[in-house]
Amino acid sequence: MRNSDRLPPRELPKRRSGRHRNPLSFDNWFGTPALIMAVPGTADRARGADGESIGARMADLVRAYRPEVTIRYGHTEGDEQSLTEALTDLKDDQGSPLSAVVVPLVTAPHAGTSAAIEEAVARTGAEARVTEGLGPHPMLAEVLHLRLAESGYVRADRMRLISVVARDTTMADGIIVGAVGGEAAAGAAGVSAVLLAARLGLTVLPADLENEAAVEQVVGQLRQGGCRRPVIAPSALGPELPREELEALAARFGARLGAPLGADSLLGKIAALRYAEVLNSLGVEQPPTVEELPAPVGSRHRPES
């Protein structure tokens, strides 16, 4: 016989909040402010071999996550495709507290980029919020792994068994995660270094690429640990430092140089996450009140007659 006191499955609210909600979602009562990506350096430095800007490629990747948002990019240096131009003539939705959210395309705190963004926002008078950079973030370690694997310096799959010897002489036996932006950037690169070491089963150390003494010290640590084939993996999209300077730095210390991160779908996802984080931080995301919760059902909750 059916138990009449058994409660039927309770229906959850259609919209979930808290730590189980979609991190890419946000409250859109104020519309969708433009997502402006700040590309470090000049437009010439940000162009790849095919002539396409890394900003344009990143805009296409972010658009896959935020198709409803106006997406622009601008460079922090030079007059061509500048950040000031990207922040000009933004659509102003009536009643919206924001016209733009600026996402710096850097993987760690970078004083020069931050100063350029502040100047561009002040010059245009745009109602804009600036997010954190793309790092530190766990997904950066995965992108670093992909770039190293594409260059043939590490295996493409994650470590299965611990091995103290690389498979052949072309593979790295030690990795330097190169940061751009000073001591704070090197600290952020340390997060990626720990995660990358767990993925590869190799010794991975961070270093500031703009500080030769720091790079020399880290290379010395790897050498003392038995590393003979170190590889520098730049934790940067590319425009931050000229490739020629990085190649000269690697040659000076007897290391090989990996490819920069470049435009990647995972980086596009991080940029979309930063956008959503800023909008949710405005305080419009509130837990539901008792009145907003669905009414409980079942015999135990029937009103007394």
Side-chain angles (χ1 to χ4, degrees), residues 168-183:
D168 54 57
T169 57
T170 65
M171 300 189 74
D173 55 3
I175 306 292
I176 300 168
V177 176
V180 180
E183 187 175 343

Side-chain angles (χ1 to χ4, degrees), residues 132-156:
E132 297 179 2
L134 303 182
H137 195 281
M139 283 191 282
L140 284 179
E142 184 173 351
V143 183
L144 284 165
H145 186 177
L146 289 172
R147 296 296 169 268
L148 289 167
E150 289 168 356
S151 300
Y153 295 142
V154 300
R155 53 190 159 204

Side-chain angles (χ1 to χ4, degrees), residues 50-94:
D50 57 359
E52 187 179 10
S53 169
I54 193 171
R57 293 196 294 269
M58 282 294 294
D60 289 338
L61 293 169
V62 175
R63 197 168 285 113
Y65 298 100
R66 295 258 75 103
E68 79 284 10
V69 175
T70 297
I71 299 176
R72 299 181 183 179
Y73 67 92
H75 302 87
T76 59
E77 300 177 26
D79 297 326
E80 184 182 356
Q81 295 177 321
S82 68
L83 182 59
T84 300
E85 181 182 347
L87 287 166
T88 303
D89 298 330
L90 291 173
K91 182 181 178 181
D92 186 16
D93 293 334
Q94 188 175 2

Side-chain angles (χ1 to χ4, degrees), residues 145 155-163 197-202:
H145 186 177
R155 53 190 159 204
D157 59 334
R158 297 184 65 166
M159 181 191 68
R160 295 288 190 271
L161 299 173
I162 295 178
S163 175
R199 296 178 69 91
L200 301 177
L202 298 174

Side-chain angles (χ1 to χ4, degrees), residues 1-2 18 22 49 69 149 152-153 177 211 238 246 249 256 258 285 294:
M1 181 177 179
R2 183 177 178 181
N22 183 355
V69 175
Y153 295 142
V177 176
N211 185 342
L246 293 178
L249 181 69
R256 290 172 294 173
E285 176 67 19

